[in-house]
Amino acid sequence: MYDSPHRRFNPLTREWILVSPHRAKRPWQGQVEKTAPPYLPEYDPTCYLCPGNERAGGINNPQYSGTFVFDNDFAALLPDVEGSTLKVEREPDIKPSNIQPSMLFRAEPESGVCKVICFSPRHDLSLPQLSLDEAEGVINTWTNETAALFKRPEIAYVQVFENKGAVMGCSNPHPHSQIWSQSQIPTEPAKELASQKDYFAANGRPLLLDYLAEEQKRGERILASNEHFTALVPFWAVWPFETIVIAHRAAPSLPALTQPERRALAEIFQSVTIRYDNLFEISFPYSMGFHQAPNDGLEHPEWVLHAHFYPPLLRSATVRKFMVGYEMLGMPQRDITPETAAARLRELPEIHYSKAR
Ligand code: H2U
Ligand code: ZN
């Protein structure tokens, strides 16, 4: 069946994607050239993230040596917006049958906190090029920032994410990530919350642990695995080389992880991102982010911490997949199958190409 056009179900979002494997063989007239990576200095005097340099608003960064966190100077969300609802009254709001005429022009205030997290003082070293200790430091910083935001009653959800590469809208090559946290649960985690809750209620087990057990049996989409985490190309992947990193137990959030689990997570992140860079021998662009349980004071036995990597590149350093016409108006569609993508990533060396030379 997987050789002819078919659709696949994403149980996390309860949406479908279209797979057209036969089209992967169609002629392609685009460019496939290799691009020379841009030279990056260890320190860039014009970079607003490098140690000691000035940011917008005239603030100077400290001479930091590990990770460095600051409040986003152009934050999309602001704390204590008047009238934003208290967390306890909040229900994920995705019940289309409840729409009344009075809701046709509905708007609500929204509070939140936005942070920027630099991975290291080095302007030129991305996650796959850091040492394992440094990568673990990044995981620890994401964890500590999440834990601090979870203590704030007005914060319902903490989104940790990284935009990497100009093609993903990243404004600065200095390796960094962001946290946006807010007083309502955003759309994607709200879908995942509803699906994981319903699955747990019906089957008594977390959806992602059942899924992971089945993937481990099948093996064909697995990329890397250690004691505490597994990386794989999900059965329902949309982006050509999309991956998901799944915890081996129902830990609902980063702060719920033990220190050995955080180290294991750093190790899996490095093995995914090293393979990504090795695929086209470039710094591989993507948007990555964790999905963790909401901060609503409830237990979340259904939620399994995971991270999604959404990389846009398709067949070379310059040829990307576009989510355009049919995807915008119909549904997501892909040509090469998730199994083919997993096989390509799996066969790549686990040493970063810049070190292997
Ligand atoms: P990207 O990860 O998409 O490149 O965004 C970097 C963030 O850094 C962006 O949200 C913030 C922007 O608002 N920023 C500052 O907080 N201070 C600055 O001096 C420049 C950019
Ligand atoms: Zn820099």
Side-chain angles (χ1 to χ4, degrees):
M1 180 182 85
Y2 298 158
D3 291 338
S4 38
H6 60 279
R7 60 179 196 153
R8 295 190 185 192
F9 181 66
N10 178 342
L12 276 176
T13 58
R14 297 191 271 204
E15 292 163 353
W16 292 87
I17 70 143
L18 184 64
V19 187
S20 316
H22 60 294
R23 286 178 85 218
K25 295 179 193 85
R26 79 188 194 278
W28 174 258
Q29 312 232 294
Q31 323 138 288
V32 288
E33 85 282 4
K34 258 195 175 176
T35 49
Y39 166 76
L40 291 178
E42 289 182 19
Y43 165 79
D44 178 351
T46 68
C47 167
Y48 60 78
L49 298 176
C50 274
N53 292 0
E54 187 179 306
R55 294 205 313 275
I59 308 153
N60 276 74
N61 296 328
Q63 288 295 342
Y64 63 97
S65 56
T67 58
F68 168 53
V69 185
F70 61 93
D71 285 334
N72 197 312
D73 300 309
F74 305 98
L77 292 143
L78 301 170
D80 307 319
V81 171
E82 201 182 330
S84 74
T85 40
L86 275 177
K87 190 179 69 169
V88 281
E89 296 166 343
R90 167 185 319 124
E91 263 278 296
D93 203 7
I94 48 164
K95 294 180 203 131
S97 58
N98 288 347
I99 297 179
Q100 312 288 320
S102 63
M103 296 174 183
L104 294 177
F105 296 88
R106 197 173 169 191
E108 290 170 4
E110 182 76 17
S111 304
V113 176
C114 297
K115 305 216 168 228
V116 179
I117 299 105
C118 298
F119 294 166
S120 93
R122 286 282 295 265
H123 186 81
D124 59 332
L125 296 184
S126 62
L127 203 53
Q129 295 163 295
L130 297 178
S131 68
L132 181 57
D133 283 349
E134 289 167 326
E136 187 182 351
V138 173
I139 304 278
N140 288 338
T141 302
W142 287 333
T143 304
N144 297 339
E145 292 300 319
T146 301
L149 289 163
F150 275 0
K151 293 209 175 86
R152 299 172 68 140
E154 77 278 20
I155 297 300
Y157 187 77
V158 176
Q159 184 60 59
V160 177
F161 67 98
E162 176 189 7
N163 293 326
K164 184 174 171 223
V167 67
M168 294 315 293
C170 180
S171 59
N172 185 328
H174 192 125
H176 68 282
S177 58
Q178 298 192 50
I179 294 179
W180 292 19
S181 60
Q182 65 198 89
S183 55
Q184 297 289 332
I185 304 171
T187 313
E188 293 303 314
K191 286 185 222 164
E192 292 196 355
L193 177 63
S195 307
Q196 291 181 99
K197 266 189 176 170
D198 288 350
Y199 187 96
F200 193 82
N203 303 290
R205 291 179 307 272
L207 185 162
L208 277 178
L209 293 189
D210 273 5
Y211 172 66
L212 184 59
E214 188 57 32
E215 285 288 19
Q216 280 162 340
K217 255 188 256 163
R218 299 185 182 203
E220 60 184 340
R221 279 171 297 271
I222 306 265
L223 285 193
S225 190
N226 60 25
E227 196 185 342
H228 300 298
F229 285 89
T230 293
L232 57 94
V233 178
F235 180 71
W236 55 82
V238 168
W239 294 95
F241 294 98
E242 177 177 334
T243 54
I244 186 171
V245 173
I246 306 175
H248 286 186
R249 66 177 178 94
S253 62
L254 287 166
L257 297 180
T258 63
Q259 199 57 51
E261 285 174 322
R262 280 176 220 159
R263 191 167 181 85
L265 179 56
E267 197 179 276
I268 288 289
F269 261 47
Q270 291 210 297
S271 88
V272 170
T273 54
I274 287 171
R275 282 166 206 272
Y276 274 167
D277 279 10
N278 287 347
L279 184 60
F280 302 130
E281 300 204 348
I282 50 157
S283 186
F284 198 71
Y286 56 72
S287 276
M288 176 286 293
F290 288 95
H291 278 151
Q292 37 190 354
N295 183 42
D296 52 9
L298 304 172
E299 295 289 308
H300 283 282
E302 79 287 349
W303 197 288
V304 179
L305 174 72
H306 58 280
H308 299 279
F309 283 84
Y310 299 134
L313 293 186
L314 177 58
R315 69 184 84 221
S316 74
T318 53
V319 179
R320 60 162 295 177
K321 173 174 179 58
F322 287 96
M323 289 283 190
V324 289
Y326 187 75
E327 285 90 345
M328 283 176 156
L329 294 152
M331 72 198 289
Q333 183 273 345
R334 65 179 293 140
D335 293 346
I336 72 161
T337 63
E339 296 70 48
T340 306
R344 277 202 68 188
L345 289 171
R346 208 167 33 229
E347 74 195 13
L348 293 165
E350 267 212 85
I351 293 182
H352 195 266
Y353 71 89
S354 65
K355 291 181 184 144
R357 275 192 193 127

